[in-house]
Amino acid sequence: MTDRLIRLTTALAVVAVAAVAAVISYSHAFELVRAHGETGVTARLVPLTVDGLIWAASMVILDASRRQHPIPALAKWSLATGIVATVGANVAHGATNGPIGALVSAWPALALVGSFELLMTLTRTASSRPPAASGGHRTEPEPPEPSRTEAEQPLEQLVLAEYRASLHGPGRPLSQRQLADKHGIDRRRVKKIIADAEPSASA
């Protein structure tokens, strides 16, 4: 319960910070785009492509991590490009007010990117954590080790199958010695395998 509460409150805090930072970062980027000649729908949509690229690349990286697949190079480059673009746009927006203005203007973009990555880290941690067992005990018992008879069963079946196949094939049936030499086992064991499966078979 404590772990769930921590994860829930952390996720809510990260989402809240990301939402506020996204609104401010979008506003800065929108004003920058409009100040450089774009108007109307284009000016409103261009900033969305930057933050949308960061989100899409983060989702691809998260999916690859959850599936334990290599992270695509395109996702890494897209994430880096989106981060540089959104931070650069916010810095350019505040650069007219000097270094302090550029830093203040860039902070929402940095907070947005950090929130994205914190959310991805939280999701990866939650998905990789094994489910807790009730009562502090294992929910699934360990499978018992196979007994000696079960471990030897495939060899016995192979010996018996070869013996039966030789009875209906051309030439003389395989002898117990031939089967023992072929499989590296004792002749008495071969005799027992045949006798147990076919009591009427002659040695």
Side-chain angles (χ1 to χ4, degrees):
M1 180 63 69
T2 303
D3 290 342
R4 288 183 179 179
L5 183 60
I6 292 174
R7 290 198 298 270
L8 178 60
T9 54
T10 303
L12 291 176
V14 169
V15 171
V17 171
V20 174
V23 172
I24 299 174
S25 178
Y26 173 85
S27 176
H28 289 172
F30 170 68
E31 292 176 5
L32 180 68
V33 171
R34 189 174 58 178
H36 286 77
E38 296 294 344
T39 59
V41 177
T42 302
R44 296 185 180 279
L45 293 181
V46 167
L48 293 178
T49 63
V50 178
D51 295 336
L53 181 63
I54 297 175
W55 178 261
S58 298
M59 290 295 103
V60 172
I61 293 174
L62 175 62
D63 182 70
S65 299
R66 287 169 60 91
R67 299 175 184 273
Q68 297 182 350
H69 290 171
I71 298 176
L74 180 59
K76 295 180 180 179
W77 282 104
S78 298
L79 179 60
T81 302
I83 292 174
V84 171
T86 189
V87 173
N90 282 268
V91 169
H93 176 271
T96 55
N97 298 314
I100 301 299
L103 180 61
V104 171
S105 183
W107 174 250
L110 295 174
L112 178 61
V113 173
S115 298
F116 273 152
E117 294 311 307
L118 286 174
L119 188 59
M120 296 305 100
T121 301
L122 185 64
T123 305
R124 283 194 294 265
T125 303
S127 63
S128 62
R129 183 170 301 176
S134 59
H137 300 286
R138 294 176 61 92
T139 55
E140 296 182 1
E142 294 184 358
E145 294 185 0
S147 63
R148 187 170 182 271
T149 302
E150 292 174 346
E152 294 174 351
Q153 188 174 4
L155 178 59
E156 295 178 357
Q157 292 177 348
L158 181 60
V159 171
L160 186 59
E162 289 186 6
Y163 173 74
R164 287 176 173 171
S166 69
L167 294 176
H168 304 287
R172 300 180 59 184
L174 292 174
S175 66
Q176 295 175 8
R177 183 179 300 278
Q178 289 175 317
L179 290 170
D181 293 341
K182 181 178 180 180
H183 295 282
I185 58 178
D186 189 73
R187 179 183 174 186
R188 288 176 296 180
R189 183 178 172 189
V190 176
K191 181 178 180 181
K192 184 176 184 304
I193 293 173
I194 297 174
D196 289 345
E198 301 178 7
S200 61
S202 58

